[in-house]
Amino acid sequence: MSLSSACRRAAAVTAGAVALTIGLALPALAHVSINPGTAEQGGFTKVAFRVPNERDNASTEKVEVEFPTDHPLPFVSVKPVPGWDVKVVTGKLPKPVTTEYGEITEAVTKVTWSGGKIGPSQFQEFEVSMGMLPKDTDQLTFPTTQTYTGGEVVKWADQPKADGSEADRPVPTLKLTPSTGGDEHGAGAASPSATATVAAHESEAAKPAAAQASSSDGTARLLGGAGLLAGVVGVVVGVLGLRRGGRAS
């Protein structure tokens, strides 16, 4: 075998391996997912539902995310996405859920984004702040429905397979880890009490600044008045000097 033939064969094998690797990786990358995929139990978090468009001849025009009703989230808020309308649906739970924060009978059951477009080879992230995250489970699932402009509907709601491998259309899952004992409200959002506390601190911090500004303003006015008085005195002295000079002549 000549050197050139060996090189061509090696290049072909390498190209085939790369293509196979990319082909195996693309389906996993194309799944609807939650980012970040983990959060601490008992706190608040901000996540993004990342939705890629998998079709070459259609755009994604609607995304519906179902929220858990067996472990409801008392606080849910969404970040506006330019070009998209958002609808947050709150409904009664199948049965009341008792938590350490009290009994919950109503909660957000679905969030729908529509009116925008995710084109071929594009993705969009839809951000949500939510809490308090339950402490009695290690994960929350969010079945998601993706609708294309051609009418195709894709449901991302499959649980892992029996052998533990990933499903064809896996349900977006948020893994919950035990609290580390730090800030239970997470980095993504703050609870109402935390917000009130921050506001109180800001108010207290603003008082010395306001007093300092008032003091500075008073000092400036005092200096300005003193300067004006000095100017007036100077004018008077100058006028008297001129008069004396005229009399002397």
Side-chain angles (χ1 to χ4, degrees):
M1 181 185 296
S2 65
L3 179 60
S4 59
S5 297
C7 291
R8 284 196 297 269
R9 177 170 294 184
V13 171
T14 302
V18 171
L20 179 59
T21 302
I22 294 175
L24 292 174
L26 284 179
L29 294 175
H31 294 162
V32 174
S33 60
I34 296 180
N35 295 280
T38 61
E40 288 189 6
Q41 295 172 333
F44 276 67
T45 189
K46 182 183 75 173
V47 300
F49 291 92
R50 182 175 296 171
V51 182
N53 190 84
E54 296 186 306
R55 303 294 178 260
D56 295 329
N57 57 354
S59 298
T60 298
E61 62 179 359
K62 185 166 70 172
V63 176
E64 299 172 275
V65 178
E66 298 176 26
F67 279 64
T69 55
D70 55 343
H71 293 93
L73 299 168
F75 306 101
V76 175
S77 59
V78 298
K79 182 176 181 179
V81 180
W84 291 80
D85 299 320
V86 61
K87 181 180 180 181
V88 179
V89 177
T90 301
K92 285 189 174 296
L93 301 175
K95 62 178 182 179
V97 176
T98 302
T99 70
E100 61 181 298
Y101 313 108
E103 186 178 79
I104 301 175
T105 59
E106 292 187 358
V108 171
T109 58
K110 181 189 295 185
V111 178
T112 302
W113 290 269
S114 61
K117 293 289 175 62
I118 308 175
S121 302
Q122 297 179 349
F123 74 92
Q124 179 65 57
E125 290 188 336
F126 302 93
E127 294 184 348
V128 176
S129 174
M130 55 191 180
M132 308 283 287
L133 299 176
K135 295 182 178 180
D136 57 349
T137 183
D138 60 359
Q139 67 176 27
L140 294 175
T141 58
F142 298 83
T144 301
T145 303
Q146 183 177 11
T147 303
Y148 288 91
T149 51
E152 181 186 6
V153 177
V154 178
K155 185 81 170 181
W156 301 91
D158 295 344
Q159 297 294 331
K161 296 179 181 180
D163 61 0
S165 60
E166 189 176 57
D168 295 332
R169 293 177 178 173
V171 60
T173 301
L174 178 65
K175 300 291 185 180
L176 301 180
T177 60
S179 173
T180 58
D183 181 10
E184 289 193 350
H185 302 298
S191 69
S193 60
T195 302
T197 302
V198 172
H201 283 307
E202 290 179 347
S203 177
E204 290 299 321
K207 288 180 180 179
Q212 184 178 1
S214 176
S215 176
S216 299
D217 184 59
T219 303
R221 290 180 180 179
L222 180 61
L223 292 175
L228 179 61
L229 179 61
V232 172
V233 171
V235 171
V236 172
V237 171
V239 170
L240 291 178
L242 289 174
R243 287 182 178 180
R244 289 176 182 175
R247 290 175 182 176
S249 60

